[in-house]
Amino acid sequence: MPAAPSSPIPAVLAKLGPLHQRDTGRLRVHLQRVPDPRSRRGRWYPLVGLLLICACAVVSGARTVTEITEWGQRATTTVLEQLGIRRHLPGRRRAPSHATLTRLLAALDGDALDAVIGAYLAARDHIDADGTGSAPRPAIAVDGKALSGSAHRGQRHRHLLSAVTHAPTVTLAQREVGAKTNETAAFRPLLEPLDLAGAVVTFDALHSVKDQVRWLVQEKKAHYIAVIKGNQPTASAQVKALPWEQVSVAHTVSETGHGRRESRSVKTMAIAANLGGIAFPKARLALRIHRRRQESGKRQTRETVYAVTSLDTHQASPADLGRYVRGHWGIENSSHYVRDVVFAEDASTVHTGSAPRAMAALRNLAIGRLRLLGADNIAKTTRAIRDAPEHAVWIWGITDSPLLPGLKSPW
């Protein structure tokens, strides 16, 4: 078999890793748990091989099924062999067609695909159980995102609810919100499979539902930070009525970047004695977060947000609480913005069957993998992978050996 041509290693890839021996083939093992929706008759390509092609193409920056197809066509015989694509009768390996990939993505079991991707990204080999950064507990944000381009002929756009770790930004679970329901109905099914013991779950006011919060604390043994707004009128009135003017600011932080300056101040107050039995379930502290934001050439904006948490003063400092709240807001930039700008998710018009959700899952997989390997600029990293399919094989640890013939490993 001819060796793959030698390729220079871009500096942005040399900074990633390290890849561990135990990581080799792990994605393949997880993808084997996805049920094959195709008829046995006429089935030529193995399902795992097709999914690996999709994963490699998306981590290389592919935005559409057409670009995934083109990635497969650029892949060498060696790369296709490593992905599990078997030989055709003339002896050559041939990449799957656009029609083959389109039919597959539309027919996939979206729940199963999201489950195996979440399990792959949540493996303890990847994520530090003690959390990342100076915050003492791992934090997971629950947040929704619309797939704007998936609307078609009167059919509303698809909407997905995800559970995403704060840092690094990794999607652990994802569910599609039904057309006749809302995000609230998907909250518990989304989090049910996850091990949340000791973790902090953050969410916006839409999910600040007492029964769900009680389940989160009692059944999942997790902590929460819940934003309180008008959908919980009693709790909202109580928290706002606390004597905040008598409490000094416990934590402040300022950040500058991307043409804007933002400052945040945090006040905390014990609420058990003040709010009594009608307090939000298991709430121990109330938070008042005041945010000022100044963008270049625009007027300064100010926003005050109230929240409650099951964490007590000895479990989280005001600085920790401020980071948790900031981490939840940051999901918009670290995940949603990347999916829209780097992978053009909102511009995607894929709408058939499970294809919109499957493409979103593949984007989550690529972003999560790159974040866990230390990539701080997803766009730059995908560009470095794009022109050499063998680089994607490195990223996923697909090969039995750490590098393909003729290539110098960056690790």
Side-chain angles (χ1 to χ4, degrees):
M1 180 180 299
S6 180
S7 299
I9 305 303
V12 67
L13 298 185
K15 297 177 181 179
L16 300 184
L19 296 181
H20 301 289
Q21 285 281 8
R22 63 179 177 269
D23 198 50
T24 301
R26 197 164 58 84
L27 178 59
R28 190 190 303 272
V29 172
H30 279 79
L31 293 178
Q32 287 171 348
R33 292 158 41 202
V34 178
D36 196 331
R38 301 171 298 169
S39 169
R40 290 186 178 276
R41 185 176 181 180
R43 185 189 299 178
W44 178 264
Y45 294 101
L47 175 64
V48 173
L50 295 176
L51 293 176
L52 288 175
I53 285 177
C54 292
C56 286
V58 174
V59 84
S60 303
R63 300 179 170 190
T64 64
V65 180
T66 298
E67 292 181 4
I68 294 175
T69 306
E70 292 171 349
W71 184 93
Q73 294 169 347
R74 293 198 306 272
T76 64
T77 299
T78 302
V79 168
L80 293 176
E81 179 185 12
Q82 297 290 352
L83 298 181
I85 303 302
R86 60 182 179 176
R87 294 179 184 273
H88 280 67
L89 293 179
R92 295 179 60 254
R93 286 181 173 82
R94 188 170 63 196
S97 68
H98 181 275
T100 296
L101 293 171
T102 299
R103 289 193 298 267
L104 174 67
L105 293 173
L108 280 174
D109 182 333
D111 287 336
L113 181 63
D114 275 319
V116 301
I117 287 175
Y120 170 77
L121 293 174
R124 295 305 180 187
D125 290 347
H126 278 74
I127 297 177
D128 184 356
D130 294 328
T132 301
S134 55
R137 296 172 183 269
I140 298 172
V142 175
D143 202 14
K145 186 181 186 302
L147 306 181
S148 302
S150 62
H152 182 69
R153 293 185 178 179
Q155 173 184 302
R156 68 185 294 270
H157 61 253
R158 307 295 182 85
H159 194 94
L160 302 174
L161 185 67
S162 302
V164 186
T165 57
H166 284 201
T169 308
V170 176
T171 302
L172 300 182
Q174 180 174 267
R175 290 189 67 89
E176 184 165 351
V177 178
K180 297 183 179 180
T181 60
N182 58 30
E183 288 186 14
T184 304
F187 182 87
R188 191 177 298 191
L190 175 76
L191 297 179
E192 182 69 55
L194 301 181
D195 179 8
L196 301 177
V200 178
V201 180
T202 63
F203 41 86
D204 59 24
L206 178 64
H207 298 292
S208 296
V209 178
K210 292 182 179 181
D211 286 344
Q212 296 190 156
V213 169
R214 192 176 290 110
W215 167 83
L216 193 64
V217 175
Q218 295 177 348
E219 301 296 327
K220 301 300 290 182
K221 309 302 180 185
H223 289 282
Y224 70 84
I225 297 178
V227 173
I228 301 297
K229 291 185 179 179
N231 62 329
Q232 291 291 336
T234 302
S236 177
Q238 290 176 320
V239 173
K240 289 181 180 179
L242 291 172
W244 293 109
E245 66 281 356
Q246 301 175 20
V247 178
S248 60
V249 173
H251 173 69
T252 60
V253 62
S254 297
E255 297 175 349
T256 303
H258 304 288
R260 65 176 181 268
R261 178 179 177 83
E262 184 174 306
S263 63
R264 296 177 300 279
S265 62
V266 179
K267 291 184 176 183
T268 66
M269 187 181 300
I271 62 174
N274 293 323
L275 299 185
I278 58 174
F280 207 71
K282 308 295 182 180
R284 295 292 179 267
L285 293 174
L287 285 69
R288 178 185 179 275
I289 304 102
H290 186 68
R291 179 169 61 173
R292 298 183 182 184
R293 184 170 180 169
Q294 178 70 64
E295 295 189 40
S296 298
K298 296 183 179 180
R299 297 181 61 182
Q300 185 185 82
T301 60
R302 300 186 181 190
E303 179 185 22
T304 300
V305 176
Y306 296 92
V308 293
T309 179
S310 60
L311 292 164
D312 213 334
T313 52
H314 69 279
Q315 296 174 312
S317 68
D320 294 331
L321 296 172
R323 279 191 289 269
Y324 288 137
V325 174
R326 178 69 181 98
H328 182 83
W329 288 334
I331 298 302
E332 187 67 31
N333 291 330
S334 301
S335 178
H336 298 176
Y337 180 82
V338 174
R339 284 162 60 178
D340 286 337
V341 174
V342 178
F343 296 102
E345 184 166 87
D346 272 353
S348 173
T349 57
V350 173
H351 59 271
T352 305
S354 296
R357 179 179 179 180
M359 289 295 293
L362 291 167
R363 294 174 191 123
N364 289 335
L365 175 63
I367 294 169
R369 176 64 168 177
L370 293 178
R371 292 288 191 204
L372 290 168
L373 290 176
D376 55 3
N377 188 319
I378 300 298
K380 188 175 181 179
T381 306
T382 56
R383 287 195 300 268
I385 302 170
R386 178 177 303 156
D387 295 330
E390 58 270 18
H391 290 162
V393 177
W394 276 330
I395 291 295
W396 293 118
I398 290 170
T399 58
D400 293 332
S401 59
L403 51 106
L404 290 173
L407 295 178
K408 180 182 178 182
S409 172
W411 300 291

